Amino acid sequence: MEKRAIEIIKKAGEKGVLQSDLWKMLGTDSREGSRIAIRLEKKGLISREPTIHAGKKTYILRLIKRPPKKISIVSVKGCPCFVCPNLTRCGIGQPSNPISCNKLTAWIIEKVMEESGG
Ligand code: SF4
């Protein structure tokens, strides 16, 4: 039910959907519709803006947009694994592994020092 509610709210876009319309679209009652909307709000997925519609108090529901996650290659730039001849043979339980690798450890320490300004 929550997934369907999200789909309806998402489809409504910027103008949002009235909570009093949502429960009708979901084929449920106002009490259950209200519970669903409150749960989605608590999860941080939607906003509920109070409004008056046809003389009754209700809420405009809108999807909360999150900025797209930025993926940057900067954080792994210089990692020795990218050019390591042992990459395909490296792993937990193998002779070459990330836990005991001096090259990887040195690179991580260097990154930590850079980021902490040291
Ligand atoms: S952890 Fe060490 S041995 Fe393994 S791939 Fe990276 S650099 Fe190579």
Side-chain angles (χ1 to χ4, degrees), residues 31-32 35 40 53 72 74:
R31 196 171 171 173
E32 182 59 19
R35 284 187 187 141
L40 293 175
H53 180 72
S72 170
V74 173

Side-chain angles (χ1 to χ4, degrees), residues 80-81 84 86-87 90 96-98 101 103-104:
C81 302
C84 180
N86 296 324
L87 180 61
C90 181
S96 295
N97 67 73
C101 177
K103 286 189 283 185
L104 184 61

Side-chain angles (χ1 to χ4, degrees), residues 21-41:
D21 288 340
L22 178 70
W23 62 263
K24 292 171 193 163
M25 289 184 240
L26 290 172
T28 187
D29 57 26
S30 64
R31 196 171 171 173
E32 182 59 19
S34 177
R35 284 187 187 141
I36 291 167
I38 290 167
R39 278 199 301 266
L40 293 175
E41 183 185 35

Side-chain angles (χ1 to χ4, degrees), residues 4-5 9-10 29 41 44-45 54-55 57 61 73 86 93 115 117:
R4 275 189 55 217
I9 297 165
K10 185 178 179 181
D29 57 26
E41 183 185 35
L45 299 172
K57 185 181 171 192
L61 311 177
I73 195 150
N86 296 324
E115 293 190 13

